[in-house]
Amino acid sequence: QAVVTQEPSMTVSPGGTVTLTCGSSTGGVTSGQYPYWFQQKPGQAPRTLIYETSKKHTWTPARISGSLLGGKAALTLSGAQPEDEADYYCLLYYSGLWVFGGGTKLTVL
Amino acid sequence: EVQLVESGGDLVQPGGSLRLSCAASGFSFSLYWMMWVRQAPGRGLEWLANINEDGTKTNYVDSVKGRFTISRDNAKNSLYLQMNSLGAEDTAVYYCAGGHKVDSWGQGTLVPVSS
């Protein structure tokens, strides 16, 4: 089974910009792996922010965007807000199966 | 309002079985793939299985293949996860998710496996 890697933790200053990445043990992440990004706050269910690399749901803040960057999927938060402090998970598709990354704990400080 | 509500979580002994349910409302359940995801205490999310719109195609992560079965009843707008041969490593909160581009998640149901 493929392994999906994310930074374990990152810190961003309020109003700052941070990019979280999502890599694959099988090689570069492609659009054909339909990268998803989810946000989870303590005690809550996950919430889907980004699907198919860069597409947003209606509730996804405009300051959050998805892309492919340097062979990885990337989630960029521009103008970080205190409410962005959460765990972020990516999800990648592998021929019928899906694999989550280990998650990134984002601190806004 | 789009909603997924899981039920069926309960304390189960090692080697036991349990069936989880997920009731969908507020969207056209029969039009979408659905999946089960779990989260062990203090750990990350783990994708377990998914099922296509009419229930004819399923996929499983290796760790549950042969032990867990995902199914659905579109007439009842419901998703299920039959879990057999449970072990301590299966202790987790189990979530159902799906809809248009996974726009819906349930609140989760806790399954502790312990003697």
Side-chain angles (χ1 to χ4, degrees):
Chain A
Q1 178 180 307
V3 176
V4 177
T5 56
Q6 297 183 243
E7 298 86 1
S9 63
M10 296 193 76
T11 300
V12 62
S13 300
T17 296
V18 64
T19 296
L20 315 182
T21 68
C22 174
S24 172
S25 63
T26 62
V29 175
T30 69
S31 58
Q33 293 181 273
Y34 311 108
Y36 277 74
W37 288 93
F38 306 89
Q39 179 191 65
Q40 187 180 35
K41 296 183 178 181
Q44 297 184 15
R47 180 174 72 149
T48 307
L49 296 177
I50 297 289
Y51 62 95
E52 297 174 359
T53 304
S54 59
K55 298 176 183 177
K56 301 181 184 183
H57 283 295
T58 55
W59 53 81
T60 305
R63 62 181 180 277
I64 293 177
S65 62
S67 64
L68 292 178
L69 190 65
K72 296 183 178 182
L75 183 75
T76 299
L77 283 76
S78 305
Q81 300 296 311
E83 59 265 30
D84 295 329
E85 186 160 295
D87 294 328
Y88 292 84
Y89 296 92
C90 65
L91 178 67
L92 299 179
Y93 177 76
Y94 295 89
S95 301
L97 305 181
W98 294 84
V99 181
F100 278 101
T104 297
K105 183 177 183 62
L106 180 66
T107 300
V108 180
L109 187 63
Chain B
E1 178 192 6
V2 174
Q3 196 170 21
L4 295 173
V5 179
E6 301 94 340
S7 60
D10 200 359
L11 176 63
V12 61
Q13 292 189 340
S17 298
L18 202 63
R19 188 196 197 204
L20 304 183
S21 299
C22 171
S25 60
F27 68 103
S28 299
F29 177 76
S30 63
L31 298 183
Y32 299 103
W33 283 75
M34 296 294 295
M35 65 181 178
W36 286 98
V37 173
R38 71 183 177 185
Q39 186 169 35
R43 305 294 296 273
L45 301 175
E46 181 182 19
W47 180 87
L48 297 179
N50 66 357
I51 186 168
N52 72 335
E53 298 89 338
D54 63 5
T56 57
K57 298 178 183 178
T58 58
N59 298 289
Y60 299 90
V61 69
D62 284 348
S63 60
V64 306
K65 197 177 297 182
R67 298 190 301 125
F68 290 11
T69 301
I70 188 173
S71 62
R72 67 192 296 162
D73 184 338
N74 286 342
K76 295 182 178 180
N77 285 339
S78 291
L79 178 72
Y80 306 102
L81 186 67
Q82 176 66 43
M83 304 186 295
N84 300 329
S85 303
L86 287 163
E89 69 278 8
D90 297 312
T91 293
V93 174
Y94 286 73
Y95 296 101
C96 63
H100 176 66
K101 306 304 181 183
V102 195
D103 62 355
S104 303
W105 286 76
Q107 83 289 349
T109 188
L110 178 62
V111 178
V113 182
S114 175
S115 54

